[in-house]
Amino acid sequence: MAVRKVIRMGHPTLRQIASQVDPAYIGSDEFNRLLSDMEDTLHDYGGVGLAAPQIDVDLRIAIVEIPGGASRYGDLEPMPMTAFINPTVEILNPAAAGNWEGCLSVPGLRGWVERPQHIRVNYLDVAAQPQVLELQGFIATVFQHEFDHLDGRLYVDHIEDMSKLVFEEELLRYGDV
Ligand code: NI
C-alpha cells in the first residue's frame, strides 16, 4: 500500500495540461503501480475520484469509485473502481444543473458549480481498449470535475457566484445560504 500526497491548489502541476498516456505504457509494471497507488490514495483521503495530476503525475489518468449504500453520494449509482485513460468528454445536452463540489486538492471548501448533466465519455481502459460511457445526472458532474484536472482546471474556476464558495463545515451548519 502506497498512499501518495495529494497536492493542493497553488501547486503549479494542478494548472498544467497533463500529457497523453502512451497506450504501450498501459499494463506495464510502472503503470500498474501508479494505478494501485492512486487507488490507495483515494481510499486514504476519501472521495469518489482522483486524477493523476493531483498526486503530481503528469498523465491523463483519472479513477472513479462510487461506493454503494448510504453516503453523501447517495444520489449516485454505485460504480466499482474504474480507471479512465486519455478520456474525452462530449456534451450531449448542454442543459446544466448545479451541485456543491469539493476537491481533495481544495480541502475544506465546497463550491456551487453548474455543469451539463448529459455527457458521453470516450477513454481507454486498463487493457488499453477504447470504451464509451454515457452518463446522466450528478455522475456527469463527477466526471467533468475529474477530467478538468487533466486540463489544469479546478472546480473553483467554474463558480459564477463567489458567495457560493464556502467552508464545508459552515455549509453543513448553515445550509445553502
Ligand atoms: Ni478534484
Side-chain angles (χ1 to χ4, degrees), residues 59-122:
L59 287 173
R60 303 185 75 81
I61 303 171
I63 58 172
V64 172
E65 181 186 47
I66 295 155
S71 72
R72 74 184 179 96
Y73 310 108
D75 295 343
L76 294 175
E77 289 282 310
M79 178 178 283
M81 180 71 77
T82 309
F84 299 86
I85 303 158
N86 296 341
T88 57
V89 173
E90 193 183 337
I91 291 162
L92 298 179
N93 182 344
N99 285 286
W100 286 103
E101 295 190 24
C103 182
L104 296 178
S105 295
V106 192
L109 292 175
R110 296 287 210 98
W112 183 256
V113 175
E114 301 208 348
R115 301 188 193 257
Q117 298 290 289
H118 190 185
I119 61 172
R120 186 189 291 135
V121 174
N122 286 276

Side-chain angles (χ1 to χ4, degrees), residues 102-161:
C103 182
L104 296 178
S105 295
V106 192
L109 292 175
R110 296 287 210 98
W112 183 256
V113 175
E114 301 208 348
R115 301 188 193 257
Q117 298 290 289
H118 190 185
I119 61 172
R120 186 189 291 135
V121 174
N122 286 276
Y123 65 100
L124 298 179
D125 66 16
V126 292
Q129 296 303 305
Q131 302 289 346
V132 184
L133 199 57
E134 195 176 319
L135 301 161
Q136 285 196 66
F138 179 40
I139 186 78
T141 283
V142 171
F143 275 74
Q144 289 168 87
H145 173 119
E146 293 311 325
F147 297 166
D148 263 359
H149 281 299
L150 308 179
D151 289 322
R153 284 191 299 267
L154 298 171
Y155 80 80
V156 294
D157 306 343
H158 298 287
I159 298 173
E160 287 179 6
D161 174 356

Side-chain angles (χ1 to χ4, degrees), residues 20-32:
Q20 290 280 333
V21 177
D22 178 350
Y25 177 68
I26 299 171
S28 67
D29 287 350
E30 194 182 296
F31 172 88
N32 291 336

